Amino acid sequence: MADPVATPDDLRDNAAFEALMWAMARPGTLHDLPEGLTDLVLALVDRECRVLVDDPALAQVVAATGAALVAAPAADHAFLTRVDSAMAVLAALPAGSPLYADQGATLVLPALLGQGQRLRLTGPGIEGAIETAVGGLPDGFIALRAARCRYPEGVEMVFVDGSRIMALPRSTTVEGM
Amino acid sequence: MSPPYSTLANLTRPWAAFSYGFLDPSAKREMRRKMIKAIAVPGCQMPYASREVPIARGWGTGGLQVTLTLIKPASVVKVIDQGADDSVNAASIRRFLARVSGAAETWDTLAATIVQSRHRIPEERLRDDQVLVLQVPNPEPLRPVQPNMSIARQMHADADYGRLWLVLYEQMVRSGRIMQGAAYPALVNGRHVMTPSPIPRWDVPKLNMARHLTLLSAGREKRLYAVPPFTKVEPLVFSDVPYKVEDHASLTCYRSGLRGVFMNEIPQAAGGSLHEASDSHLGIKAIRRAEGEAVEIGPLWYRDGEFRG
């Protein structure tokens, strides 16, 4: 049998997913992507996905994976490079249903990690509570998230700051401080 | 749709004998998407396509697909079959994983980065950086009370789990105690009841507020679910009938001398039975230590048959 060959693409996708998996499993902790936002696109989406993108360059990357480019109400993944539309997108993304919780979308957006609004997180993946800070989000974003995440319905969030990420799965309770 | 449209030509990759980690990139991306949702809604079963892998369905294909998605050249994999590393099933899966990924094989729980298991959780406590992958034959805890999958889905949506207590109550009435030995239903994160795969009652507390991540996957039934670290996993009980694990505190392993761990019973031709530690590599380590080798044994979940977390 031939030796297994891990291509650079294989290794990048694996590393990006490992960062994302631990970020989701331990909300509020920071994890490193190989390079940045594009790693998440390539590790997660392909022609089975419907994706919202706000940036023409990133849209090219997404379209090349075979994913359909759609508006927020039809998207299963949203990759934002700016936060101007974040409130509208979060308000419109599918949140699944108690019957089909897996249909809740994943929202990836930029934020400043470790500065700005202080948050206290509790829930699965967190020993007791964890305090963190996320800056650069629109006013009312955390409140809108709480309104959309009516467990087990909800939207998963991944904050990207360069090559660092932090995730908030729908199971996390977020309190402003 | 906006250009560039993806075509078969630009989605095609150069020929290779097989994809790294056996699964093709598209299969892995689907697994990744579902694993993220499974972690986000602990205990909730997420459907997935379940690709063909070169073992028969029902022999660990679900766990195998999760492990193949996670595996990388630096991974160290341990595969357990009912506690043993050296059974045909465990050895075959472990060798396959190493062959298609270049990952290292181990029997040692402490050395593993990924532990794929059929029906046991190691006795040594798993750490923050370890992933436990459990093979699941039947992921639906409601199947004994509701064979219709669509209705069972609605019952999960409504958190309508009363009939599961009825099953336990009927066992109490008939037998005087709860007879559910393996796959004991447990409430995860206060919302979804899951079956923890057919691990013994002994192993269910190891999932509650654990440090490691657990992924459970049923290849034949095409569903996966997860228990993230620090997530409540509460076996269903009555307020006046506490959860009890198997009473193995007083048993001694006849080969290694270990006490206070989960035991396999080995009936003897002359009557009676002997017991041996189910976690076979823990037994090996205990024997080596007794022979004077410097062997590291990690902290155990149980002491003297009592769970201490």
Side-chain angles (χ1 to χ4, degrees), chain A residues 2 4-5 10 14 18 26 42-46 48-49 63 66 69 99-100 102 104-106 124-125 151 156 171, chain B residues 2 4 6 11 18 20 29 32-34 37 40 42 46 70-72 99-100 102 128 153 157 189 211 229-231:
Chain A
V5 180
D10 289 326
N14 184 286
E18 197 168 302
R26 300 182 198 284
L42 296 173
L44 290 177
V45 308
D46 55 25
E48 295 168 10
C49 300
L69 298 172
L99 271 176
Y100 296 95
D102 55 311
T106 303
Y151 193 84
E156 273 60 64
S171 56
Chain B
S2 68
S6 59
L11 289 172
F18 60 94
Y20 179 77
R29 280 190 289 265
R32 293 184 192 122
R33 295 194 293 268
K34 292 301 181 176
K37 293 300 159 190
M46 300 296 174
L70 296 176
I71 208 161
K72 58 184 178 181
R99 269 190 178 179
V100 298
D128 301 43
R153 180 181 285 275
N189 190 27
R211 306 200 75 89
F230 301 111
T231 300

Side-chain angles (χ1 to χ4, degrees), chain B residues 130-154:
Chain B
Q130 291 176 308
V131 181
L132 173 67
V133 180
L134 288 172
Q135 302 170 196
V136 183
N138 170 19
E140 181 52 84
L142 293 170
R143 188 157 298 164
V145 297
Q146 179 49 264
N148 183 322
M149 283 165 60
S150 304
I151 298 175
R153 180 181 285 275
Q154 184 69 55

Side-chain angles (χ1 to χ4, degrees), chain B residues 231-283:
Chain B
T231 300
K232 270 197 275 180
V233 176
E234 304 161 281
L236 301 187
V237 286
F238 301 97
S239 53
D240 56 343
V241 183
Y243 184 73
K244 280 175 81 172
V245 302
E246 290 79 357
D247 187 12
H248 288 187
S250 60
L251 304 178
T252 305
C253 172
Y254 83 99
R255 295 170 76 181
S256 68
L258 278 171
R259 285 173 67 87
V261 297
F262 191 77
M263 298 288 177
N264 295 335
E265 185 174 3
I266 303 169
Q268 299 299 297
S273 50
L274 292 173
H275 294 89
E276 69 172 3
S278 163
D279 185 337
S280 68
H281 194 254
L282 182 67

Side-chain angles (χ1 to χ4, degrees), chain B residues 289-305:
Chain B
R289 181 180 270 190
E291 288 169 349
E293 261 185 70
V295 179
E296 191 190 354
I297 296 180
L300 303 186
W301 257 303
Y302 280 82
R303 183 192 288 160
D304 304 329

